[in-house]
Amino acid sequence: MAPSTPRRIETGRLVTFTFEGQPVEGQVGESVAAALTAAGIRNLRDSVVSGAPRGIYCMMGACFDCLVQIDGIPNRLACMTEVREGLEVRRQAGAAEVTL
């Protein structure tokens, strides 16, 4: 069975945020990961170990494959962050530095 093209079930008010500087629409109450998937964006970062593309996998905060940078803060789970008007989401490149 061929994978289907993701599509959104329209249920709510739309907000606009950016991914890599490009506008993306999401619905109030949905996660950044859900909005990106609906927009056809699946590659959110590269593996620090192998360089392989990583994307959305579990959608419940368990796998950490959807780590992105949101409003300048790295290591944010796209699947656990609700979309808001004006969010700036960027791919996470390499390992994020942790300030202790």
Side-chain angles (χ1 to χ4, degrees), residues 1 9-10 18 24-26 30-31 35 39 41 51 53 68 73 76 85 88 100:
M1 181 173 175
I9 299 170
E10 302 293 339
T18 61
V24 177
E25 287 188 331
E30 75 179 352
S31 69
I41 298 168
V68 291
I73 302 171
R76 302 292 307 271
E85 185 71 36
E88 292 181 14
L100 301 175

Side-chain angles (χ1 to χ4, degrees), residues 14-72:
L14 294 176
V15 295
T16 301
F17 64 100
T18 61
F19 180 77
E20 295 291 309
Q22 300 300 312
V24 177
E25 287 188 331
Q27 294 182 84
V28 171
E30 75 179 352
S31 69
V32 169
L36 292 175
T37 299
I41 298 168
R42 297 185 176 151
N43 182 354
L44 303 185
R45 67 181 181 94
D46 294 330
S47 167
V48 176
V49 176
S50 69
R54 309 304 294 180
I56 299 158
Y57 183 69
C58 75
M59 291 295 284
M60 61 182 188
C63 75
F64 298 94
D65 275 351
C66 66
L67 290 175
V68 291
Q69 180 177 318
I70 297 178
D71 290 340

Side-chain angles (χ1 to χ4, degrees), residues 67-89:
L67 290 175
V68 291
Q69 180 177 318
I70 297 178
D71 290 340
I73 302 171
N75 295 326
R76 302 292 307 271
L77 289 167
C79 69
M80 301 301 290
T81 304
E82 192 171 312
V83 293
R84 291 190 327 267
E85 185 71 36
L87 278 182
E88 292 181 14
V89 182

